[in-house]
Amino acid sequence: MSDPRANIVKLDGVEKHFGAVRALNGVDFVVDAGECIGLVGHNGAGKSTLMHTLAGTLAPDRGRIAIRGAVEENYSVVRAQKLGIRCVFQELSLCPNLSVAENTRINHASLRGFGWRRRAAALITEKLDEIFPGHGISPSDIISDLSIGRRQMVEVARAFTVTEDPLELVILDEPTSSLDAHTAGQLLAFVRRFVAGGKSCILISHLLGEILENADRIVVMRDGKVALTDAAAAFDRPRLINAMGDTGVWEPARAHAAAAGRSAGPLRVRARPVRQDDDSELVAHEGEIIGLAGLAGHGQTDLLLAIYAAAGRARSHMEVTAPVAMVAGDRQSDGIFPQWSISRNIGIRSLARLRRGILISPEREAELASLWKAKIGIRTPDVENNILSLSGGNQQKALFARALGSDARIILMDDPMRGVDIGTKLEVYDLIREEARNGRTFLWYTTETDELDNCDRVYVFRGGRIVATLNRGELTEEKVIQSSFSEVAPS
Amino acid sequence: MTDVAIRGPLPRAGSAARARMLRATLPALSLALVVIAIAWLNPRAISYFGFSLMLNLAIPIALATIAQMFVIAGNELDLSIGTFVGFVGCVTATWLRETPLLGAAILLGSIGVYALLGALIHLRNLPSIVVTLGMSFVWQGLAILVLPTPGGKAPEWLSAIVGFKPPFVPFPIVAALVIALVVHFGLMHTSYGAILRGSGGNPAALGRAGWSLLRVKVTLFALAGLFGVLSGMTLIGITTSGDANIGNGYTLLAIAGVILGGGEFVGGRVSPIGAVLGALTLALAASPLLTFMRIPPDWQVAANGIILIVVLAARVLISRREA
């Protein structure tokens, strides 16, 4: 590390503030040539800010960025590209209306003039063939026609294409999140080849196994700082989790709710997915927490929406016996009203109770909001502030407050903990269990297996059908995964 | 754990591509439908002379539609294109004929104004609807200042160009083909065209790749200005004299033409060939079809609006079924 030539990137005391939030709080960080760095940390630890700083999309407030030993004064996206630093962002950076080849052209200013389309097509096809043999993607495919997994393959392959600028370092942020096990393996094998060729890579992943197996060195971030750096061989899973810090006790709630064995209360929900072809059905009684598991997009959300639609109406294949409220997972598009205050956002599900005459009573609205602000711990000086003044986790709490503050006895949750920090999660888990003890019923679709520990019963979905019903005692991660993946290809 | 199991529930690229192909043929189908209806009502209209007459005003509409398409490609909307066409028409019928240098300078300057509007909308993050709605009154006012009462005269060279009679194929059809192919090549086949369309698809991605979104937006608006100028000039060449209100209906026609041609308001999904076909369809449906259906002129504007709604609703229905 003493030879500056060997450094691709060196950050000294880099700071970045967003208002009062110190996203980066003096980060020292080095990437050497020919190594793969695993970058881990909880939400809000500063990983993505660090990555945006390296990619040049965010300018640091303080500190020094040196690339290959030379200090960069005016570091920018264009400069980063010239120096061979690329980034694959977690939210996809493809233009959905353009073809694969045209999207490749966007990253290469030199792909122009006569025959640019042919050259772009050859470039991306060659890289796709190299990383994902048998990918089945044509360079003339329009991105919006591709599945999310293939889009991610295109995005990753594009980052590794080279024209006139060099390629030194590729930052991969959750590159396997939409890939299946096979293609994820192809990608990680390619990363190892890439690194063996003397290039560098930063791998960010929430799958710790991926990090432990593929990184040479692991950097753990916490609270906007690098908390720990060590060779990957020196880590194992517990040490890594430990280093990520004050996550509270990662003790599953098993013991807590297991006190149950509860005799079933009155029936709340009985529902069969439309595509169910045997007689399995989802059943929920009063006071139960029911988990909906399986791979993302296998019909869990559809069933929740069907139950929501069926509330208060008689349907042959569904029985819903109490008022329903929904907690959206994609809070930006389905959850919050961005123009409204926190209290309005909370009160919207309970307008009937907040009325005085034909008008909404601002006092009652504020009262309800204040009650839930205290109960659920929404961190804001004033519930009359705009909802967007809250952090993502606190916005999600406001959505929980909206549902729990209503008269609903059945709460549907559509993977609501996406992108929420661990502290908020633990608080909300406690609240859910408490509300369940008070007789509320929760239907909880989650993509995080750990969360299933809170449930009394778990239904695993595959291809729009319930394929397994696991009671608390028989619930293990292996069983969920085993049921989520089919043994034989569906015809 | 086979791949198939995991990819199973995801949509396949093949069927989506087929649906897109079908959608792409919709503009041509709707044009064919209108032509067939006209042929059925009045077979004599289907002739060299008939098409020259019926498509007389199609070229300025097609050019205005292309102008609107560039703006829509960048997820914006131009509500001033109609009055802008009127303003250009007034300048063309007066200054461009009397003092060609001054006239040309004014027209070039107005393209510059369009480019500046693009910069303003991008830099201040203003809604383009508001900015261009305001500008529509500015253009209208300027047009009235230039030509308070209908009059003026088209420059002779301009009348000569639009009066050109090619053998076998009527001029409007030749011109529509040329416009469609030139813009199709420029927007769909050049490397910078991909960037322009990408700005409607995912502007953040372009920014991260180091492209100047300001430059993209300025380019799109300048192109809209250029085609607006061409639209106003050809309109005057055809009508031979100017009127401050001559282009007012073009705003709606241009938007409808883009959408009818398979474009979408957001997402950078536009089609130059489709837009020209959409403009031709509207031009035929607007007046010739209604006249042949013996609808009195007093009712034609209202009938026009209804046809527009029906055609666009049909497009949405068909697209949804395909998608």
Side-chain angles (χ1 to χ4, degrees):
Chain A
M1 240 183 269
S2 52
D3 178 12
R5 295 269 100 192
N7 283 167
I8 297 298
V9 170
K10 192 167 192 306
L11 302 185
D12 286 309
V14 167
E15 292 183 22
K16 179 74 193 175
H17 306 214
F18 298 103
V21 180
R22 287 166 170 256
L24 293 182
N25 199 2
V27 169
D28 303 315
F29 184 70
V30 177
V31 183
D32 291 336
E35 73 170 345
C36 176
I37 291 195
L39 184 62
V40 296
H42 273 300
N43 289 325
K47 287 172 306 194
S48 62
T49 312
L50 177 68
M51 196 183 57
H52 277 280
T53 308
L54 283 175
T57 46
L58 278 180
D61 298 326
R62 204 163 301 150
R64 222 166 50 129
I65 302 178
I67 310 291
R68 308 181 128 252
V71 176
E72 296 293 327
E73 294 298 340
N74 291 309
Y75 194 62
S76 66
V77 180
V78 178
R79 187 73 192 137
Q81 278 187 334
K82 275 265 171 300
L83 293 165
I85 295 175
R86 311 275 181 80
C87 196
V88 177
F89 294 94
Q90 193 177 356
E91 68 279 33
L92 296 176
S93 294
L94 298 169
C95 293
N97 58 329
L98 300 186
S99 72
V100 173
E102 285 168 340
N103 270 291
T104 310
R105 182 267 182 278
I106 283 172
N107 276 27
H108 296 282
S110 63
L111 281 176
R112 57 206 177 97
F114 185 72
W116 67 271
R117 196 183 290 264
R118 202 184 56 243
R119 278 179 284 137
L123 191 66
I124 190 72
T125 306
E126 186 199 78
K127 202 47 85 175
L128 278 168
D129 288 343
E130 186 181 345
I131 304 177
F132 304 107
H135 50 79
I137 300 168
S138 153
S140 61
D141 284 344
I142 303 292
I143 296 297
S144 58
D145 293 345
L146 296 177
S147 68
I148 183 89
R150 290 201 165 133
R151 289 184 208 186
Q152 192 156 31
M153 288 155 75
V154 171
E155 173 115 33
V156 167
R158 184 177 71 162
F160 286 97
T161 54
V162 182
T163 49
E164 57 186 8
D165 295 327
L167 178 59
E168 299 292 347
L169 168 67
V170 176
I171 305 164
L172 298 165
D173 187 5
E174 299 284 357
T176 59
S177 58
S178 305
L179 299 182
D180 55 57
H182 176 64
T183 42
Q186 288 179 327
L187 170 61
L188 293 169
F190 173 78
V191 166
R192 290 312 310 169
R193 295 202 297 277
F194 181 71
V195 170
K199 308 296 185 187
S200 314
C201 192
I202 298 176
L203 182 62
I204 302 174
S205 176
H206 69 284
L207 300 170
L208 299 182
E210 236 170 60
I211 298 276
L212 286 166
E213 280 167 32
N214 293 285
D216 300 306
R217 202 150 59 85
I218 295 180
V219 174
V220 182
M221 287 193 76
R222 191 168 68 205
D223 302 331
K225 282 185 181 155
V226 172
L228 183 61
T229 305
D230 207 341
F235 280 100
D236 55 11
R237 214 181 151 92
R239 185 177 174 215
L240 208 49
I241 291 173
N242 208 23
M244 280 191 268
D246 355 284
T247 61
V249 203
W250 206 205
E251 174 65 23
R254 228 168 255 275
H256 250 292
R262 261 187 301 261
S263 60
L267 178 78
R268 283 293 178 224
V269 179
R270 180 193 297 279
R272 266 160 61 88
V274 184
R275 292 174 62 185
Q276 197 72 35
D277 43 15
D278 53 24
D279 51 3
S280 301
E281 57 184 4
L282 181 147
V283 178
H285 296 94
E286 184 181 280
E288 281 187 321
I289 305 175
I290 302 297
L292 281 68
L295 295 175
H298 278 248
Q300 299 95 333
T301 303
D302 296 336
L303 185 65
L304 288 182
L305 290 174
I307 292 171
Y308 188 85
R313 237 164 299 165
R315 296 244 183 135
S316 57
H317 59 296
M318 246 172 231
E319 224 176 306
V320 183
T321 61
V324 170
M326 181 99 160
V327 181
D330 187 347
R331 60 179 167 273
Q332 296 309 333
S333 67
D334 302 335
I336 61 167
F337 293 91
Q339 307 286 331
W340 290 5
S341 68
I342 300 163
S343 65
R344 287 203 151 185
N345 265 289
I346 293 176
I348 181 71
R349 175 64 179 74
S350 311
L351 287 183
R353 281 192 293 133
L354 301 178
R355 267 183 347 194
R356 181 187 296 142
I358 58 164
L359 301 178
I360 300 170
S361 156
E363 294 82 39
R364 287 191 205 169
E365 199 173 60
E367 199 183 318
L368 177 77
S370 305
L371 175 77
W372 282 93
K373 177 195 166 196
K375 194 158 178 183
I376 207 170
I378 299 173
R379 296 200 177 84
T380 177
D382 187 351
V383 289
E384 294 307 319
N385 286 345
N386 185 280
I387 183 97
L388 295 181
S389 67
L390 298 177
S391 70
N394 278 295
Q395 288 178 20
Q396 197 64 44
K397 282 186 186 173
L399 293 187
F400 271 102
R402 179 193 291 170
L404 297 176
S406 75
D407 60 354
R409 303 305 297 161
I410 304 168
I411 312 286
L412 310 176
M413 302 194 286
D414 182 16
D415 203 7
M417 300 299 191
R418 259 180 262 167
V420 172
D421 63 280
I422 185 71
T424 306
K425 281 183 182 175
L426 294 176
E427 286 173 36
V428 174
Y429 297 160
D430 285 340
L431 191 71
I432 289 173
R433 285 195 300 269
E434 188 194 321
E435 290 291 322
R437 274 195 296 276
N438 294 338
R440 273 195 156 129
T441 305
F442 289 84
L443 265 55
W444 188 353
Y445 163 41
T446 174
T447 48
E448 295 182 25
T449 316
D450 291 332
E451 291 187 340
L452 296 175
D453 286 336
N454 293 297
C455 299
D456 297 308
R457 188 161 58 255
V458 172
Y459 294 94
V460 184
F461 282 69
R462 189 176 72 226
R465 281 182 281 266
I466 296 172
V467 290
T469 307
L470 303 169
N471 287 315
R472 165 171 300 283
E474 38 186 20
L475 178 66
T476 62
E477 185 167 1
E478 287 68 37
K479 277 193 184 151
V480 173
I481 292 174
Q482 201 183 355
S483 316
S484 303
F485 291 88
S486 123
E487 266 70 50
V488 289
S491 52
Chain B
M1 261 204 270
T2 60
D3 293 351
V4 189
I6 300 158
R7 290 180 190 153
L10 300 167
R12 281 168 306 129
S15 65
R18 259 199 309 283
R20 199 154 30 74
M21 280 292 282
L22 262 168
R23 270 206 302 282
T25 58
L26 273 182
L29 283 178
S30 47
L31 178 60
L33 206 69
V34 172
V35 171
I36 289 169
I38 289 177
W40 183 63
L41 287 166
N42 189 345
R44 275 174 305 167
I46 307 301
S47 65
Y48 182 98
F49 184 67
F51 273 116
S52 301
L53 217 58
M54 288 191 296
L55 290 172
N56 198 7
L57 288 174
I59 294 313
I61 295 176
L63 288 166
T65 304
I66 293 289
Q68 186 69 258
M69 185 203 68
F70 281 117
V71 175
I72 289 179
N75 292 350
E76 308 285 357
L77 203 58
D78 182 6
L79 296 183
S80 65
I81 190 71
T83 56
F84 179 69
V85 168
F87 164 78
V88 170
C90 291
V91 172
T92 307
T94 55
W95 285 331
L96 193 61
R97 194 171 72 91
E98 290 145 19
T99 49
L101 266 179
L102 178 66
I106 289 175
L107 293 182
L108 284 178
S110 66
I111 296 177
V113 170
Y114 251 84
L116 285 176
L117 287 178
L120 179 74
I121 285 167
H122 176 76
L123 291 174
R124 305 300 308 157
N125 200 14
L126 297 171
S128 57
I129 291 183
V130 174
V131 174
T132 56
L133 184 62
M135 280 310 291
S136 73
F137 295 104
V138 173
W139 296 123
Q140 174 104 66
L142 290 175
I144 293 172
L145 281 181
V146 174
L147 202 64
T149 53
K153 195 171 184 311
E156 282 76 23
W157 55 269
L158 191 56
S159 305
I161 291 176
V162 298
F164 174 63
K165 287 193 168 51
F168 309 118
V169 188
F171 176 72
I173 294 179
V174 176
L177 259 176
V178 170
I179 294 166
L181 291 180
V182 166
V183 179
H184 179 80
F185 177 79
L187 189 62
M188 311 304 277
H189 283 276
T190 65
S191 57
Y192 196 64
I195 303 299
L196 292 179
R197 283 179 290 132
S199 77
N202 188 346
L206 283 192
R208 281 176 191 165
W211 294 95
S212 160
L213 290 172
L214 174 66
R215 200 182 131 189
V216 167
K217 193 125 288 181
V218 165
T219 308
L220 285 171
F221 271 80
L223 283 167
L226 171 67
F227 279 86
V229 164
L230 293 177
S231 170
M233 286 173 65
T234 48
L235 180 58
I236 293 306
I238 293 163
T239 59
T240 68
S241 71
D243 177 347
N245 294 316
I246 197 167
N248 290 5
Y250 278 32
T251 303
L252 183 64
L253 281 177
I255 296 172
V258 174
I259 304 305
L260 187 56
E264 276 163 37
F265 283 116
V266 287
R269 290 189 175 84
V270 294
S271 153
I273 293 178
V276 169
L277 289 175
L280 294 183
T281 310
L282 289 174
L284 284 178
S287 162
L289 182 63
L290 295 175
T291 309
F292 293 140
M293 288 165 80
R294 299 210 167 74
I295 292 177
D298 291 349
W299 289 96
Q300 283 199 1
V301 178
N304 236 321
I306 290 170
I307 288 188
L308 212 62
I309 292 172
V310 168
V311 170
L312 291 182
R315 190 198 86 112
V316 171
L317 277 180
I318 296 170
S319 306
R320 196 168 297 157
R321 191 157 318 144
E322 302 306 335

